[in-house]
Amino acid sequence: MDVRTLGIDLAKNLFRVHGVDARGRTVVERELRRQQLLPFMAQLRPCLVGLEACAGAHYWAREIAKRGHQVRLMSPRFVRPYVKSNKNDARDAEAICEAVGRPSMRFVAPKSVAQQDMLALHRVRSLLIRERTALINQTRGLLAEYGIVVAQGPARLRRALVIILEERDNGVSELLREMLIEMSERLRWLEERLKHYDLRIAALARSNEHAARLMKVEGVGPLIATAFVAAVGDARQFRRGRELSAWLGLVPRQHSSGGRTLLLGISKRGDHYLRTLLIHGARSTLHRIQRKRDRRSRWIRALRGRRGGNIAAVALANKNARVLWALLAHDEDYRAPAAA
């Protein structure tokens, strides 16, 4: 069969494929099981393959590319307008096949195994932080029912638990005391695992050439550097730094019509985790610029004085994202701004 463009609707076990020839006529439309997909792709001539960027898409993109095909990943929200009539697997595969051939379509770069390893470290660390936060909140809530109010923060809770467990006349029952001991041990275990993952990420940042280069930028540490390298990959897929900032949701959202330009707050699109890290890194920089006299610090101070700390932090995160793009796209080292 002469398949020139193929759309694949991914799933866990059942996959739907839709292929067209050079004239756009349908030549293949069938359902495949998971173990049948790669043998089916191996018997086809090299063609353009479209996939939605969903769970497992990066694995399939790598495997299909090994069979000689050109694989393109697309955001599902860009494929949705091409779905005809009601939604089903066959219509989804047809829509993917149609969308991947559009000249103006935006594509997602497939991630390598090394990138996914970095992202896995960050995802597990983020899960541990959420579990620690939930445990701390539940512990503080239980203590509040017994008239014991503990200030926010892991360190304050640890100190309070030591005092509460030592005292015998504070109104804490033996049953609650047993649960508090167990929760305290679990909190200690979570913090040990968090420290372990922080060390792993720091070691990975030092050993990775690109991440080590990014860490020279003020406000960028091992967390941001490794997350940025893992999420972005090849920075040359973006034509300029502003495209990367827009991809991260750090540029204003636009709602213009009739020649009237209206800019709103930041769009908050893209990778929420990486955007949050960049803004937190920018906030840490705001606390260290009071006595600096370089051009960058003077710009940040002036902006914070005019618009406030939150807008200044987002603006600095936007600037840092563009700087990081330039370092990766042009393979350059960071040149710190000279003092005035």
Side-chain angles (χ1 to χ4, degrees):
M1 63 187 76
D2 184 21
V3 178
R4 297 298 179 89
T5 306
L6 186 71
I8 305 178
D9 182 42
L10 298 177
K12 294 181 181 178
N13 297 310
L14 294 178
F15 300 79
R16 192 79 185 193
V17 298
H18 183 97
V20 298
D21 59 13
R23 296 185 178 182
R25 294 178 299 188
T26 301
V27 293
V28 59
E29 187 176 7
R30 56 184 295 189
E31 187 177 75
L32 299 172
R33 292 194 172 274
R34 185 180 185 90
Q35 61 271 19
Q36 296 174 326
L37 181 59
L38 291 181
F40 172 79
M41 299 302 302
Q43 69 183 6
L44 294 179
R45 294 173 54 187
C47 62
L48 176 63
V49 180
L51 305 172
E52 284 185 328
C54 57
H58 295 282
Y59 163 76
W60 289 112
R62 292 193 300 268
E63 293 299 320
I64 294 174
K66 292 177 183 178
R67 273 73 181 174
H69 301 285
Q70 182 183 5
V71 185
R72 297 286 181 87
L73 300 181
M74 299 167 290
S75 172
R77 68 188 184 95
F78 293 150
V79 178
R80 183 67 183 87
Y82 295 93
V83 177
K84 299 175 183 177
S85 187
N86 297 320
K87 181 187 182 306
N88 54 52
D89 292 343
R91 298 288 77 78
D92 288 345
E94 182 183 4
I96 294 170
C97 184
E98 177 70 21
V100 74
R102 297 302 92 199
S104 60
M105 179 57 63
R106 301 174 184 175
F107 299 106
V108 178
K111 289 182 172 56
S112 64
V113 175
Q115 287 178 263
Q116 290 193 301
D117 287 344
M118 283 189 191
L119 288 176
L121 280 174
H122 283 271
R123 296 294 180 262
V124 174
R125 180 183 178 275
S126 181
L127 175 62
L128 291 174
I129 291 177
R130 292 196 300 270
E131 291 180 351
R132 183 183 66 171
T133 302
L135 180 61
I136 290 173
N137 290 338
Q138 187 177 48
T139 305
R140 293 176 64 243
L142 290 174
L143 290 173
E145 296 295 332
Y146 290 80
I148 302 175
V149 178
V150 181
Q152 295 182 3
R156 293 173 177 174
L157 179 62
R158 286 196 304 269
R159 292 194 295 267
L161 283 176
V162 173
I163 298 173
I164 293 170
L165 294 175
E166 288 179 352
E167 295 179 354
R168 291 293 176 177
D169 56 349
N170 52 11
V172 176
S173 63
E174 290 301 322
L175 180 59
L176 179 61
R177 194 178 299 275
E178 292 177 6
M179 290 186 289
L180 289 177
I181 292 174
E182 180 181 351
M183 297 170 82
S184 177
E185 292 175 353
R186 187 180 176 189
L187 178 61
R188 188 181 305 110
W189 179 84
L190 287 173
E191 292 184 337
E192 289 175 356
R193 299 312 302 165
L194 276 173
K195 183 178 180 180
H196 168 74
Y197 279 100
D198 286 340
L199 294 175
R200 288 290 300 272
I201 291 175
L204 189 62
R206 290 192 299 268
S207 62
N208 186 280
E209 177 186 356
H210 300 298
R213 186 186 305 147
L214 299 186
M215 285 194 294
K216 297 178 181 179
V217 180
E218 188 177 7
V220 177
L223 283 176
I224 297 178
T226 52
F228 194 91
V229 170
V232 175
D234 185 9
R236 287 184 288 270
Q237 63 181 303
F238 302 97
R239 291 177 297 177
R240 57 184 67 89
R242 193 187 185 283
E243 287 190 0
L244 176 62
S245 296
W247 179 71
L248 289 173
L250 288 170
V251 299
R253 185 163 50 93
Q254 190 176 37
H255 189 78
S256 303
S257 179
R260 177 173 175 266
T261 302
L262 178 62
L263 298 180
L264 307 173
I266 60 173
S267 64
K268 298 184 180 178
R269 295 171 181 162
D271 194 330
H272 173 270
Y273 177 74
L274 181 55
R275 182 174 62 252
T276 301
L277 289 180
L278 285 169
I279 293 176
H280 285 334
R283 290 187 191 280
S284 68
T285 304
L286 292 179
H287 298 299
R288 302 193 301 269
I289 62 170
Q290 293 299 328
R291 298 183 179 179
K292 294 187 176 181
R293 294 293 179 266
D294 58 274
R295 182 179 179 182
R296 180 169 175 266
S297 299
R298 287 187 281 113
W299 168 74
I300 299 172
R301 282 198 303 270
L303 180 60
R304 184 173 61 179
R306 295 194 312 268
R307 305 298 302 275
N310 289 334
I311 292 180
V314 174
L316 181 57
N318 186 357
K319 180 180 284 290
N320 284 344
R322 300 186 186 204
V323 171
L324 298 181
W325 171 84
L327 297 181
L328 291 182
H330 303 300
D331 290 328
E332 296 180 356
D333 291 328
Y334 178 66
R335 299 186 297 272

